[in-house]
Amino acid sequence: AQKVTQAQTEISVVEKEDVTLDCVYETRDTTYYLFWYKQPPSGELVFLIRRNSFDEQNEISGRYSWNFQKSTSSFNFTITASQVVDSAVYFCALSEAAGGFKTIFGAGTRLFVKA
Amino acid sequence: GAGVSQSPRYKVAKRGQDVALRCDPISGHVSLFWYQQALGQGPEFLTYFQNEAQLDKSGLPSDRFFAERPEGSVSTLKIQRTQQEDSAVYLCASSLTGGRSGNTIYFGEGSWLTVV
């Protein structure tokens, strides 16, 4: 069965601190896709990154970076030098090639960045 | 429009009332999804359309929930005889291509339903 666990319910940091959001997933499929989305107070889920199971290369995009490790079934997300505008709920999600059309989301981590 | 558009943004319904939520996906997107998001939770899959065909409705919680996409573009999610447990944000999403997983899906801002 597919499952996504985001153990951190809420994280609070001071601006300019680095912060890592954890994501652990479970799947029996060998082909799968992992995602991170940001949900600001407006409610819209904003796509951040998509990674397939065959590409373990870490990725950096500006202040954002992602660490994908199949050995530990983790896909962690780090924000460097956090800013107040980063305050939002962040969701990790999983989609299996054999799992039909659905994407499974974790419960989310609420990030507060204080000035 | 450039993104997924949903209406109404906010809906308050009396228990037992029927509601209809509309989704206008990104132009040209083949796939359309409906998700339900309860307060403090992640989105949960309801149903999937590829063009006008509803290929997966395994997430619809009861037969009071019905979705359609008759012309392969705009979709409507209808909830009959609403109950308090139906209170949630209903998110619509679309993706460019059809087929199975891996496609990036783009979400609308959601329709916030409160049943009183």
Side-chain angles (χ1 to χ4, degrees):
Chain A
Q2 50 182 327
K3 184 179 178 182
V4 176
T5 301
Q6 294 180 256
Q8 304 150 307
T9 305
E10 289 186 2
I11 300 176
S12 184
V13 299
V14 177
E15 208 171 19
K16 297 184 183 176
E17 283 185 21
D18 299 347
V19 58
T20 295
L21 310 181
D22 297 334
C23 173
V24 174
Y25 61 92
E26 293 178 30
T27 178
R28 296 177 186 167
D29 207 342
T30 55
T31 302
Y32 53 89
Y33 304 85
L34 296 165
F35 303 82
W36 276 95
Y37 285 84
K38 173 182 180 180
Q39 189 173 44
S42 63
E44 180 177 352
L45 279 156
V46 178
F47 166 76
L48 296 178
I49 190 171
R50 169 184 177 271
R51 178 53 49 88
N52 74 58
S53 54
F54 299 107
D55 181 5
E56 284 194 75
Q57 197 169 25
N58 291 329
E59 182 159 341
I60 298 175
S61 176
R63 297 185 296 108
Y64 295 170
S65 62
W66 291 269
N67 183 0
F68 176 28
Q69 293 196 344
K70 288 178 74 171
S71 61
T72 55
S73 296
S74 65
F75 186 44
N76 296 338
F77 172 32
T78 297
I79 302 174
T80 303
S82 60
Q83 299 176 1
V84 172
V85 293
D86 296 328
S87 297
V89 181
Y90 291 85
F91 290 97
C92 179
L94 164 70
S95 184
E96 294 175 328
F101 304 98
K102 64 182 67 173
T103 298
I104 300 298
F105 287 79
T109 297
R110 183 175 295 277
L111 174 64
F112 294 98
V113 181
K114 296 178 285 189
Chain B
V4 177
S5 178
Q6 293 187 245
S7 62
R9 284 296 319 278
Y10 303 95
K11 175 70 178 178
V12 178
K14 291 184 178 179
R15 193 161 61 96
Q17 187 179 355
D18 296 349
V19 300
L21 308 176
R22 176 190 167 102
C23 173
D24 202 338
I26 295 172
S27 179
H29 276 201
V30 169
S31 294
L32 185 144
F33 305 79
W34 283 98
Y35 281 78
Q36 180 190 59
Q37 186 177 18
L39 190 63
Q41 300 296 317
E44 294 200 2
F45 171 83
L46 293 177
T47 188
Y48 165 73
F49 290 86
Q50 182 171 311
N51 296 308
E52 69 279 2
Q54 189 175 22
L55 299 186
D56 189 342
K57 53 182 180 179
S58 61
L60 295 176
S62 76
D63 59 7
R64 296 185 297 103
F65 286 71
F66 171 76
E68 60 183 6
R69 193 187 186 197
E71 297 177 1
S73 56
V74 171
S75 176
T76 303
L77 176 67
K78 297 178 180 177
I79 309 173
Q80 297 177 324
R81 305 180 304 281
T82 52
Q83 304 294 319
Q84 283 193 318
E85 61 263 29
D86 300 334
S87 296
V89 179
Y90 290 86
L91 295 164
C92 179
S94 68
S95 68
L96 180 60
T97 57
R100 291 187 176 270
S101 62
N103 301 312
T104 299
I105 54 177
Y106 298 92
F107 285 84
E109 291 184 317
S111 290
W112 299 59
L113 173 64
T114 303
V115 181
V116 298

